[in-house]
C-alpha cells in the first residue's frame, strides 16, 4: 500500500541487483551465446543458429532421459504427497511428543545430498549393506547395481526417505493453522474421520499442498547428486536423469554448444511447469478470497 | 500548529476511498471522525499521518506543504484498534520508548512516563509485561506511549473497539480528561455515536470517502446535515419514514400528526421525516404525543434500557425505552410520538428542519 | 429437546485442585429447563466457556455430573450427546454449498435423501437462506455463515440443545439486532433448549429468559433481565449490568440510616437497616444511576453533594456528583434541568440496596 517516498532506497537494492547480475543473468547470457555457436577454441567459433537445439531435441538419449525424468518426478509426487499428508495427520497436535517428532522428521533434510547417496549406496549393497543383506536373506535376489528395476526402486525409496519430511512439515504447519472450532463442529455434526479429512483438512491444506507439489516437482526434476553417487546412472543408462546427462555432455565430453542448448531447454521446461503451478495457486487463492 | 487538508483524494485499485476532502483542524482541538465501517476513516487517518500519499490534493502543517514529507519526519503518534505494545518490554519501558528514541534526559523521561501512567491509571502496573495485562490495560499502555510524546498530531483509530463493553465504557468516560489540556491536534475515528458525544470537541462525518459535515459535536448531533449523518449519529439509528406535508404531517400512508411549529414554514410536498428512538416511547409522556399502533419485532434489552424494534404498516421503527421491557415478539404495542421532535429531510435526504434541542425544565 | 441438569459440577484445568482458586469453575448445581433460553454472562475468564464446553462434551469435568433428561452424559463425547454448537467465528465447510452444509449432519447420520431435502428446505426457509442454497458457503458474509452454523443444528430433529459461544462477535454492529431477533424468533417457534455464552449484556438480556451471571468461576445470580437490573443479588451484577453500572458506597449503619465516611446520612427502609445492623460484614450501599434523584433544594432526606461533571450524551445526560470523598453517577433524561453546582441527592428507599461482603441483604431473609 505504501509507495516508496525515499528514492535513496534504490541504492540499498543495488548490491543485490549487481550480485544477481553477476551470478545469474550474465552466466545465463553466456549460455545463450554458447547455444547458438560452435566453439572449437576461444578464438575459433561459428554461428550455427538453431542447429544445437534441433540436435538436442532429436537426441534419443536425451529424449529417453527426459522420459525417465518425468516418470521419476511423477512417481515421487504420487508417493511423497499422500504419504506426507498421512504422516502429518497422525502426528500429535500438541504435547511433549511434538518436538521429538519434528526433530526426527527434520533429520533426513539435514543430511547433505551426496552423503544421502553414499548412505544408501552402502545401506543397499547386497554384500555388506544392512538393507541389501536383509532383502537377499529373505530369498529375493536383490542387486541394484545389476538390475535396472532394483536400481529404480532404490533411487525412489531413497528420495522418499530424503524428502517426504518436507511434505510432512509443510502439511503439519497447515494443519496446525486450522482452528479447533472446525474439529469441534465436525464432531458435533457427527462427521467420520474421513469426512473431517475430506471437508475440513483437505480444503484448508490446498495452498500448502500446491507449494509442496511445486517444490518437490522442481527438486525431483533436477535431481543429481543422490542417484549419481548411488548408481552412477546405471546399470546402463537406466537411472541416468537429465542433469546427469547434461553434466556428462558439458564437462565430460566438452560439447559446450549442445550442452548449452540442452540446459536452456531444461530451464524452459522447469519454468513452464513452475508457471503452470503458480497460476493455479493464484487462481485458487482468488477463489478462496 | 494547524493541519489543513485541501481537496484530498485517494483511489485504490479503481475504487475511490477518499473523495475530495478539505478540512482544517486547529491546534489543541479534539476531532472525531464518525462513519460506518469502510466509510474511509482509516484511509483518511493514514493520509493525514503521511503513511499514504494522496492522489490529488495537498496537506499543510502550520501553513507548510507536507504532502511529500514522510511520516517519520511529521511528529505523529498513532493508536490502533489492536493493542500494540513491545511484548518484551515492561509497561514503563514501553511508555518510555519514544522518549528514549528522542534522546531526552533520563529524569525528564521518568517524570513524563509517571505522569502519563498516572493519568491513564496504570501507574501501579509499570513493572509488568504487556502479556500480564488485561486488554483494557494493554490499550491504556499503548495510549500512554502515544500521548507521552506530545506529538503535533495524535491519531486514534477506533481504540476502544476491541475492548469488552464494560472496559470500553470505563475508558470512554475518562477520555475527555485524558485529552484535556494538550497542544496536539487529536483525531479520533469511531463508529460509535456515544463515543463521539462523550468525547465532545468537533465531529466530522464521513460517508463513502466524502466529508458530509464538520462542526462542534453537539451541533452536528442536533442538526445533522443529511439523513445519513442522522443515521450514523444515533444508536440505535434514527427512524426515517417517507411522508408528506400538507397542513398536517403524514407518515407513510396512514399516520397523521398535527403540524408542529418548527415545520410550519415548510412548503407542502413530499418529505422524509426522522425521529430519534429516544423520542419514541411506549408510555405517554406529554399531551402533545400522538399514539401509533405497532407490532413488536424484537425487544433488545441493553440493561439500562430496551430497544424495541416494532413494525407499523411495513415500516420498521426502533423505540429506545428506559428500563427492561420484555415484550413478546408479535404482540401489539402503542408507540407515542411527539411531532415537535420530528426532523424533516427533503426527498434527496438533506435536512430542511430540525427540532429545537429538548427544552430545559423537564426534570 | 432436553432438560439439562448440572450436579455438583466443578472443573480445574491441569493438576489436582487444592484451593478454591484452582478451580476455573467452582462447584455448582443447576437446572436448565426443556425449551428454555438461557444466557451465561460474565467477563472473560469467568468460567462461562468452560461450563459451555462441559455441557457440549468437549471437556470432561473434574467433578460432578451432567444429565440430559435424567440420563448421565458426563462421559459421552459431543457426537453422542445430540447437541449443536455455534462458535465465535463462523465455522462452515467452505468447499461446500450452503445446501450441502445444512445437509452435512443429516448425511453423516445416513438419513434418507428425501427426508434430508425436506428438512434442509424447511430450515433454509426459516433462516431466509433459500435464495443462497446453491451458492458456495464461503461466499456468504459473516452473518450468513453464522446462520448456516445454527442451521446445521436446527436441521437435526433429535438435537438436545443448541449452544452458542459468543456467536455475534464478528457480526457488523448494524446487523446484530437482526440476528438477535432471528434467534429469538426461532426460539419462540421451535422452543429448543438454547444456551448462549456472551460477555455482552445486551446479547444476554435480549436473548435469554433467564440469565446466569458468572464471576470468577462462580454463579453469582440467576434471574430474569428485570431482576438483574432492579435487584442485583451481588455487587458484581450491579456493576456489570447497566451503563454505567450501579453506584456502590462503603457504609456503616447508624439507626435507620446508612452513613458514608462517617458524616453523610442516607435514610434506609427501617427493616433493611435493622437487618444490616446485625451483620458484622463489610457493608456497601448500592443504587443505580437511573434511580438516584437530584434536587435543587434542601429536603429532609436530601444529602448535600457537588456536581462535578455533566455529559450530554444525546438521548440522556450523565451527571457525576461528589459526595464527600465518593463519586456517584446519575443518569437523567435528555433536557433535564440541573442545578449549577450545589445539589441534594435523594436515595429513594425502595431503590436503595445494601450488600454484605458483596451479597444482597434481603430484609427478613438473610443474605441472598
Amino acid at each position: 500500500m505504501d509507495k516508496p517516498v525515499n528514492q535513496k532506497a534504490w541504492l540499498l537494492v543495488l548490491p543485490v541487483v549487481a550480485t544477481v547480475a553477476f551470478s545469474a543473468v550474465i552466466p545465463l547470457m553466456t549460455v545463450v551465446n554458447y547455444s547458438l555457436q560452435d566453439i572449437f577454441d576461444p578464438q575459433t567459433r561459428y554461428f550455427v543458429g538453431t542447429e544445437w537445439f534441433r540436435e538436442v531435441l532429436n537426441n534419443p538419449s536425451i529424449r529417453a532421459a527426459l522420459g525417465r525424468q518425468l516418470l521419476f518426478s511423477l512417481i515421487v509426487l504420487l508417493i511423497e504427497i499422500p504419504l506426507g499428508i498421512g504422516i502429518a495427520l497422525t502426528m500429535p497436535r500438541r504435547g511433549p511428543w511434538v518436538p521429538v517428532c519434528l526433530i526426527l522428521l527434520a533429520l533426513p533434510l539435514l543430511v547433505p545430498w551426496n552423503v544421502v547417496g553414499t548412505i544408501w549406496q552402502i545401506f543397499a549393497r547386497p554384500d555388506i549393506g544392512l538393507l541389501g543383506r536383509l532383502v537377499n536373506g529373505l530369498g529375493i535376489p536383490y542387486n541394484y547395481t545389476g538390475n535396472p528395476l532394483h536400481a529404480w526402486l532404490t533411487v525412489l525409496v531413497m528420495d522418499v526417505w530424503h524428502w517426504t519430511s518436507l511434505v510432512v512439515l509443510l502439511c503439519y504447519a497447515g494443519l496446525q493453522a486450522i482452528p479447533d472450532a472446525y474439529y469441534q463442529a465436525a464432531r458435533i455434526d457427527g462427521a467420520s474421520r474421513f469426512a473431517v479429512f475430506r471437508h475440513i483438512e483437505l480444503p484448508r491444506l490446498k495452498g500448502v499442498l500446491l507449494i509442496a507439489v511445486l517444490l518437490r516437482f522442481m527438486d525431483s526434476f533436477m535431481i543429481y547428486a543422490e542417484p549419481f553417487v548411488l548408481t552412477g546412472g546405471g546399470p546402463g543408462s537406466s537411472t541416468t536423469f537429465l542433469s546427469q546427462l547434461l553434466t556428462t555432455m558439458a564437462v565430460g565430453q566438452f560439447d559446450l554448444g549442445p550442452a548449452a542448448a540442452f540446459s536452456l531447454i531444461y530451464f524452459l521446461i522447469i519454468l513452464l511447469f513452475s508457471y503452470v503451478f503458480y497460476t493455479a495457486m493464484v487462481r485458487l487463492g482468488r477463489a478462496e478470497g | 500548529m494547524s493541519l489543513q487538508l485541501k481537496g484530498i483524494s485517494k483511489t485504490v485499485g479503481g475504487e475511490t476511498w477518499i473523495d475530495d476532502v478539505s478540512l482544517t483542524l486547529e491546534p489543541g482541538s479534539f476531532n472525531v471522525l464518525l462513519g460506518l465501517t469502510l466509510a474511509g476513516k482509516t484511509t483518511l487517518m493514514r493520509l493525514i499521518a503521511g503513511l499514504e500519499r494522496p492522489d490529488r490534493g495537498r496537506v499543510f502543517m502550520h501553513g507548510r506543504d507536507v504532502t511529500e514529507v514522510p511520516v517519520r519526519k511529521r511528529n505523529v503518534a498513532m493508536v490502533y484498534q489492536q493493542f500494540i505494545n513491545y511484548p518484551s518490554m515492561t509497561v514503563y519501558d514501553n511508555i518510555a520508548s519514544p522518549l528514549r528514541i528522542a534522546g531526552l534526559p533520563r529524569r525528564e523521561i521518568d517524570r513524563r512516563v509517571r505522569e502519563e501512567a498516572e493519568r491513564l491509571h496504570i501507574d501501579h502496573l509499570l513493572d509488568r509485561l504487556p502479556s500480564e495485562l488485561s486488554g483494557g490495560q494493554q490499550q491504556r499502555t499503548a495510549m500512554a506511549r502515544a500521548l507521552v510524546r506530545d506529538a503535533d498530531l495524535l491519531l486514534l483509530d477506533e481504540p476502544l473497539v476491541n475492548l469488552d463493553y464494560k472496559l470500553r465504557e470505563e475508558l470512554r468516560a475518562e477520555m475527555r480528561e485524558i485529552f484535556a489540556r494538550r497542544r496536539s491536534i487529536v483525531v479520533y475515528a469511531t463508529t460509535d455515536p456515544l463515543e463521539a458525544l462523550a468525547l465532545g470537541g468537533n465531529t466530522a462525518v464521513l460517508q463513502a470517502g466524502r466529508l458530509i459535515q464538520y462542526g462542534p459535536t453537539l451541533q452536528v448531533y442536533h442538526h445533522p446535515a443529511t439523513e445519513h449523518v442522522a443515521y450514523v449519529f444515533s444508536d440505535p439509528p434514527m427512524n426515517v419514514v417517507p411522508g408528506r406535508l400538507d397542513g398536517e404531517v403524514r407518515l407513510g400512508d396512514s399516520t397523521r400528526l398535527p403540524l408542529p411549529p418548527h415545520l410550519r414554514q415548510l412548503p407542502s410536498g413530499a418529505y422524509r421525516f426522522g425521529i430519534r428512538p429516544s423520542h419514541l416511547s411506549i408510555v405517554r409522556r406529554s399531551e402533545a404525543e400522538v399514539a401509533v399502533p405497532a407490532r413488536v419485532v424484537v425487544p433488545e434489552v441493553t440493561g439500562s434500557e430496551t430497544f424495541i424494534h416494532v413494525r407499523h404498516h411495513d415500516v420498521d421503527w426502533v423505540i429506545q425505552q428506559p428500563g427492561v421491557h420484555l415484550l413478546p415478539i408479535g404482540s401489539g404495542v402503542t408507540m407515542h410520538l411527539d411531532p415537535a421532535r420530528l426532523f424533516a429531510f427533503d426527498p434527496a435526504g438533506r435536512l430542511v428542519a430540525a427540532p429545537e434541542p429538548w427544552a430545559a425544565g423537564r426534570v | 429437546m432436553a432438560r439439562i441438569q448440572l450436579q455438583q459440577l466443578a472443573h480445574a484445568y491441569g493438576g489436582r485442585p487444592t484451593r478454591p482458586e484452582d478451580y476455573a469453575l467452582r462447584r455448582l448445581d443447576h437446572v436448565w429447563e426443556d425449551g428454555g433460553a438461557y444466557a451465561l454472562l460474565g467477563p472473560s475468564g469467568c468460567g462461562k466457556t468452560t461450563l459451555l464446553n462441559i455441557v457440549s462434551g468437549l471437556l470432561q469435568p473434574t467433578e460432578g455430573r451432567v444429565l440430559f433428561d435424567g440420563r448421565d452424559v458426563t462421559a459421552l463425547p459431543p457426537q453422542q450427546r445430540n447437541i449443536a454448537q455455534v462458535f465465535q467465528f463462523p465455522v462452515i465447510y467452505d468447499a461446500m454449498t450452503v445446501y450441502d452444509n445444512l445437509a452435512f449432519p443429516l448425511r453423516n447420520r445416513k438419513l434418507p435423501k428425501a427426508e434430508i431435502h425436506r428438512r434442509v428446505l424447511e430450515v433454509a426457509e426459516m433462516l431466509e437462506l433459500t435464495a443462497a442454497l446453491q451458492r458456495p458457503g464461503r461466499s456468504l458474509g459473516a452473518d450468513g455463515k453464522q446462520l448456516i452454523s445454527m442451521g446445521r443444528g436446527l436441521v437435526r430433529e433429535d438435537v438436545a440443545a443448541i449452544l452458542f459461544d459468543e456467536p455475534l462477535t464478528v457480526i457488523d454492529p448494524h446487523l446484530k439486532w437482526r440476528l438477535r431477533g432471528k434467534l429469538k424468533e426461532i426460539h419462540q417457534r421451535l422452543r429448543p433448549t438454547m444456551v448462549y455464552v456472551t460477555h455482552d449484556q445486551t446479547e444476554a438480556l435480549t436473548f435469554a429468559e433467564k440469565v446466569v451471571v458468572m464471576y470468577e468461576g462462580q454463579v453469582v445470580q440467576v434471574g430474569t433481565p428485570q431482576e438483574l437490573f432492579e435487584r442485583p443479588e451481588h455487587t458484581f451484577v450491579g456493576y456489570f449490568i447497566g451503563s454505567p453500572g450501579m453506584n456502590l458506597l462503603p457504609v456503616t449503619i447508624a439507626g435507620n440510616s446508612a452513613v458514608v465516611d462517617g458524616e453523610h446520612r442516607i435514610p434506609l427502609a427501617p427493616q433493611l437497616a435493622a437487618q444490616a445492623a446485625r451483620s458484622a460484614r463489610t457493608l456497601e450501599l448500592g443504587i443505580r444511576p437511573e434511580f438516584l434523584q437530584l434536587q435543587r433544594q434542601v429536603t429532609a432526606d436530601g444529602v448535600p453533594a457537588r456536581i462535578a461533571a455533566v455529559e450530554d450524551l444525546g438521548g440522556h445526560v450523565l451527571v457525576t456528583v461528589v459526595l464527600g470523598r465518593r463519586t456517584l453517577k446519575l443518569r437523567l433524561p435528555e433536557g433535564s434541568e440541573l442545578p449549577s453546582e450545589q445539589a441534594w441527592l435523594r436515595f429513594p428507599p425502595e431503590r436503595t440496596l445494601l450488600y454484605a461482603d458483596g451479597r444482597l441483604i434481603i430484609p427478613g431473609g438473610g443474605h441472598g
Side-chain angles (χ1 to χ4, degrees):
Chain A
M1 277 216 290
D2 298 348
K3 289 185 184 143
V5 184
N6 191 344
Q7 298 295 338
K8 277 179 272 182
W10 288 108
L11 287 178
L12 300 174
V13 185
L14 203 62
V16 178
V17 173
T19 314
V20 171
F22 276 100
S23 67
V25 179
I26 293 173
L28 186 66
M29 286 303 111
T30 318
V31 171
V32 172
N33 195 15
Y34 282 180
S35 72
L36 301 172
Q37 304 191 50
D38 195 353
I39 299 168
F40 292 93
D41 59 65
Q43 276 75 43
T44 325
R45 51 177 68 189
Y46 302 100
F47 182 75
V48 294
T50 57
E51 195 190 316
W52 294 139
F53 287 92
R54 270 180 281 140
E55 191 186 305
V56 165
L57 288 173
N58 288 319
N59 183 328
S61 62
I62 292 180
R63 284 187 166 197
L66 180 62
R68 273 195 293 277
Q69 190 75 69
L70 285 170
L71 184 65
F72 178 74
S73 288
L74 184 72
I75 297 175
V76 158
L77 288 179
L78 283 178
I79 297 174
E80 290 181 9
I81 299 294
L83 187 63
I85 296 172
I87 295 174
L89 286 175
T90 52
M91 275 174 63
R93 291 198 64 185
R94 55 178 74 89
W97 289 104
V98 172
V100 178
C101 287
L102 291 179
I103 290 169
L104 283 177
L105 279 166
L107 277 179
L109 297 175
L110 300 176
V111 183
W113 299 5
N114 53 344
V115 177
V116 171
T118 315
I119 291 173
W120 279 81
Q121 194 209 15
I122 297 167
F123 187 48
R125 271 174 70 158
D127 49 354
I128 56 166
L130 201 58
L131 178 73
R133 298 261 330 225
L134 186 74
V135 175
N136 277 296
L138 292 173
I140 303 162
Y142 164 78
N143 182 359
Y144 69 89
T145 53
N147 185 323
L149 179 66
H150 293 175
W152 259 84
L153 285 175
T154 314
V155 173
L156 283 171
V157 170
M158 174 179 67
D159 197 84
V160 168
W161 175 83
H162 193 182
W163 287 112
T164 304
S165 297
L166 179 74
V167 182
V168 175
L169 292 179
L170 283 170
C171 288
Y172 186 69
L175 287 173
Q176 291 285 48
I178 302 175
D180 274 343
Y182 280 81
Y183 292 100
Q184 296 172 6
R187 283 168 75 187
I188 287 165
D189 286 338
S192 63
R193 183 68 193 87
F194 177 74
V196 170
F197 172 69
R198 169 73 189 76
H199 297 297
I200 294 174
E201 289 166 336
L202 198 56
R204 297 199 151 237
L205 282 182
K206 257 188 221 163
V208 172
L209 280 177
L210 266 165
I211 294 172
V213 168
L214 185 60
L215 286 178
R216 282 314 301 129
F217 170 76
M218 290 195 335
D219 267 351
S220 64
F221 206 74
M222 296 188 287
I223 191 165
Y224 176 73
E226 302 104 305
F228 179 73
V229 174
L230 181 71
T231 63
S237 59
S238 60
T239 56
T240 303
F241 296 114
L242 284 175
S243 56
Q244 199 185 332
L245 198 63
L246 177 62
T247 317
T248 320
M249 199 183 273
V251 186
Q253 302 162 354
F254 228 71
D255 282 340
L256 284 185
F262 183 6
S263 55
L264 277 179
I265 291 168
Y266 196 178
F267 173 65
L268 287 176
I269 292 173
I270 292 171
L271 208 63
L272 178 76
F273 275 99
S274 304
Y275 176 76
V276 168
F277 278 121
Y278 175 76
T279 31
M281 261 195 279
V282 171
R283 285 242 181 90
L284 200 81
R286 270 203 209 116
E288 298 278 300
Chain B
M1 188 63 85
S2 75
L3 177 89
Q4 205 177 1
L5 306 180
K6 280 193 180 165
I8 296 285
S9 293
K10 177 80 184 173
T11 309
V12 179
E15 271 180 69
T16 305
W17 285 16
I18 292 296
D19 190 2
D20 194 20
V21 170
S22 295
L23 191 60
T24 303
L25 305 177
E26 293 305 327
S29 67
F30 192 91
N31 306 279
V32 178
L33 282 184
L34 185 67
L36 302 177
T37 25
L38 301 180
K41 301 187 296 294
T42 302
T43 312
L44 188 58
M45 283 213 163
R46 293 175 62 86
L47 288 166
I48 293 175
L51 286 164
E52 287 191 52
R53 245 188 325 180
D55 298 326
R56 267 181 289 121
R58 313 303 293 173
V59 181
F60 297 89
M61 272 290 239
H62 212 39
R64 189 169 72 92
D65 188 339
V66 295
T67 318
E68 308 294 329
V69 176
V71 62
R72 268 186 315 115
K73 295 187 181 164
R74 286 202 198 179
N75 195 12
V76 178
M78 200 154 176
V79 178
Y80 303 84
Q81 294 181 10
Q82 297 81 12
F83 319 136
I84 298 174
N85 293 302
Y86 299 108
S88 59
M89 287 190 196
T90 62
V91 170
Y92 185 97
D93 291 336
N94 260 290
I95 302 174
S97 60
L99 301 180
R100 288 188 180 141
I101 291 167
L104 261 63
R106 187 178 281 266
R107 286 185 49 188
E108 168 79 0
I109 293 177
D110 191 64
R111 185 183 64 76
R112 280 168 68 171
V113 168
R114 290 187 189 281
E115 187 183 297
E116 213 59 70
E118 195 178 348
R119 198 184 312 211
L120 281 149
H121 304 297
I122 45 173
D123 40 338
H124 58 295
L125 304 168
L126 287 172
D127 297 329
R128 303 255 193 105
L129 289 172
S131 56
E132 298 164 343
L133 304 179
S134 73
Q137 291 163 343
Q138 287 183 42
Q139 191 63 318
R140 282 169 191 267
T141 306
M143 284 178 64
R145 195 176 62 238
L147 287 164
V148 79
R149 284 175 57 182
D150 202 18
D152 295 334
L153 195 56
L154 176 60
L155 305 171
L156 302 104
D157 191 3
E158 301 193 47
L160 306 187
V161 76
N162 283 330
L163 294 175
D164 284 4
Y165 85 94
K166 210 66 204 180
L167 295 170
R168 194 183 316 158
E169 188 183 293
E170 283 168 15
L171 204 48
R172 185 173 67 207
E174 292 171 31
M175 282 289 186
R176 226 185 252 242
E177 181 56 31
I178 291 170
F179 293 118
R181 295 180 301 280
R182 293 199 185 264
R183 57 168 207 100
S184 316
I185 299 172
V186 182
V187 182
Y188 185 109
T190 182
T191 57
D192 183 355
L194 263 188
E195 261 175 55
L197 287 164
L199 291 162
N202 296 318
T203 292
V205 182
L206 282 181
Q207 178 189 10
R210 297 188 71 92
L211 177 67
I212 306 296
Q213 191 174 5
Y214 179 69
T217 299
L218 272 177
Q219 168 78 18
V220 175
Y221 179 79
H222 289 301
H223 298 275
T226 69
E227 207 181 302
H228 184 81
V229 175
Y231 179 84
V232 296
F233 211 156
S234 177
D235 183 32
M238 184 186 278
N239 300 294
V240 180
V241 186
R244 291 191 61 78
L245 208 65
D246 45 9
E248 58 182 356
V249 178
R250 290 169 177 236
L251 298 180
D253 300 327
S254 53
T255 312
R256 289 152 179 253
L257 312 171
L259 194 61
H262 73 288
L263 298 182
R264 272 191 195 136
Q265 83 287 6
L266 293 179
S268 297
Y271 291 92
R272 294 174 63 76
F273 295 104
I275 187 158
R276 292 194 190 279
S278 56
H279 295 150
L280 294 172
S281 176
I282 55 169
V283 291
R284 196 151 187 223
R285 294 177 296 190
S286 79
E287 288 298 304
E289 284 182 339
V290 180
V292 179
R295 205 148 282 284
V296 175
V297 178
V298 62
E300 276 187 293
V301 184
T302 68
S304 311
E305 51 197 14
T306 308
F307 299 160
I308 309 167
H309 296 260
V310 299
R311 186 165 293 166
H312 167 72
H313 286 282
D314 281 346
V315 180
D316 289 323
W317 303 71
V318 189
I319 307 166
Q320 187 175 359
Q321 189 75 34
V324 175
H325 304 270
L326 290 167
L327 305 164
I329 291 176
S331 63
V333 67
T334 307
M335 167 167 83
H336 299 271
L337 186 163
D338 183 351
R341 312 301 332 148
L342 286 177
F343 290 81
F345 301 95
D346 67 15
R350 281 184 299 266
L351 183 74
V352 289
E356 280 305 300
W358 207 311
R362 288 177 48 100
V363 175
Chain C
M1 294 303 150
R3 177 173 190 262
I4 299 171
Q5 267 174 287
L6 312 174
Q7 290 182 340
Q8 296 284 302
L9 205 63
H11 189 74
Y13 289 99
R16 283 174 207 82
T18 48
R19 298 163 305 157
E21 299 86 66
D22 293 341
Y23 285 91
L25 186 66
R26 310 232 189 137
R27 181 158 305 158
L28 66 94
D29 274 281
H30 204 57
V31 178
W32 288 325
E33 294 300 340
D34 188 4
Y38 296 88
L40 303 180
L41 175 66
S44 48
C46 72
K48 56 190 193 299
T49 302
T50 305
L51 179 54
L52 190 79
N53 287 341
I54 290 173
V55 174
S56 69
L58 295 168
L59 205 62
Q60 292 288 318
T62 318
E63 295 161 26
R65 302 197 302 162
V66 180
L67 307 181
F68 283 12
D69 280 336
R71 189 168 67 102
D72 188 345
V73 297
T74 319
L76 293 184
Q79 56 271 37
Q80 289 174 31
R81 291 194 184 189
N82 282 334
I83 45 104
Q85 189 160 354
V86 180
F87 297 88
Q88 195 169 6
F89 298 97
V91 174
I92 61 156
Y93 304 100
D94 28 42
M96 294 187 200
T97 61
V98 174
Y99 185 99
D100 291 336
N101 260 284
L102 293 176
F104 190 64
L106 302 181
R107 286 182 182 150
N108 287 330
R109 287 171 176 76
K110 309 262 186 299
L111 262 72
K113 246 196 167 103
E115 172 78 2
I116 293 177
H117 189 66
R118 183 184 65 76
R119 287 211 212 157
V120 168
L121 290 190
E122 198 179 292
V123 167
E125 196 257 306
M126 205 157 27
L127 297 173
E128 295 170 40
L129 287 172
T130 311
L133 275 176
Q134 294 314 321
R135 283 168 56 191
R138 62 169 180 272
S139 69
L140 269 66
D143 50 326
K145 287 180 182 167
Q146 285 300 55
L147 285 179
I148 296 177
S149 306
M150 185 160 65
R152 287 205 310 268
L154 292 171
V155 287
R156 291 160 48 193
E157 279 172 3
D158 61 345
V159 82
I162 304 179
L163 312 179
F164 297 85
D165 188 2
E166 313 223 2
L168 302 187
T169 308
V170 292
I171 307 296
D172 199 48
H174 290 266
L175 292 173
K176 279 186 180 178
W177 73 269
R178 287 190 182 281
L179 273 166
R180 286 179 193 143
K182 202 82 223 165
L183 281 182
K184 242 186 135 65
E185 187 191 313
I186 283 167
H187 183 255
Q188 290 194 351
R189 221 163 119 179
L190 301 176
R191 301 294 305 175
T193 309
M194 283 179 160
V195 182
Y196 189 112
V197 161
T198 179
H199 65 259
D200 183 301
Q201 56 172 350
T202 306
E203 263 161 49
L205 300 174
T206 298
F207 170 79
E209 293 158 339
K210 280 266 172 86
V211 180
V212 180
V213 185
M214 297 187 66
Y215 176 57
E216 290 183 346
Q218 297 176 75
V219 172
V220 287
Q221 186 170 3
V222 181
T224 63
Q226 198 148 5
E227 287 164 359
L228 297 182
F229 181 66
E230 290 176 2
R231 284 187 74 77
E233 286 172 10
H234 192 280
T235 47
F236 175 76
V237 179
Y239 154 81
F240 201 68
I241 305 276
S243 311
M246 184 178 246
N247 293 302
L248 292 163
L249 298 169
V251 292
T252 52
I253 300 293
N256 277 343
S257 299
V259 185
V260 183
D261 293 335
E263 48 178 329
H264 307 284
R265 299 173 78 86
I266 299 165
L268 296 172
Q271 221 190 340
L272 178 62
Q275 178 90 13
R278 285 197 293 276
S279 173
R281 303 183 226 190
T282 312
L283 292 177
E284 278 173 288
L285 176 146
I287 186 160
R288 290 225 171 257
E290 289 82 356
F291 300 144
L292 197 54
Q293 295 171 357
L294 201 58
Q295 296 172 322
R296 315 180 72 177
Q297 267 103 41
V298 60
T299 52
D301 53 358
V303 184
R306 185 173 59 79
I307 294 180
V310 178
E311 281 175 89
D312 186 348
L313 294 181
H316 64 269
V317 180
L318 206 58
V319 183
T320 309
V321 296
V322 176
L323 171 65
R325 301 201 309 270
R326 312 285 165 183
T327 313
L328 293 100
K329 297 268 185 197
L330 276 96
R331 188 179 157 133
L332 302 176
E334 174 182 4
S336 296
E337 196 178 338
L338 297 170
S340 54
E341 197 181 334
Q342 185 61 49
W344 283 265
L345 288 173
R346 186 173 171 272
F347 294 73
E350 69 280 10
R351 294 298 195 185
T352 307
L353 306 173
L354 281 182
Y355 296 86
D357 283 349
R359 302 255 163 207
L360 181 69
I361 301 178
I362 299 162
H367 306 298

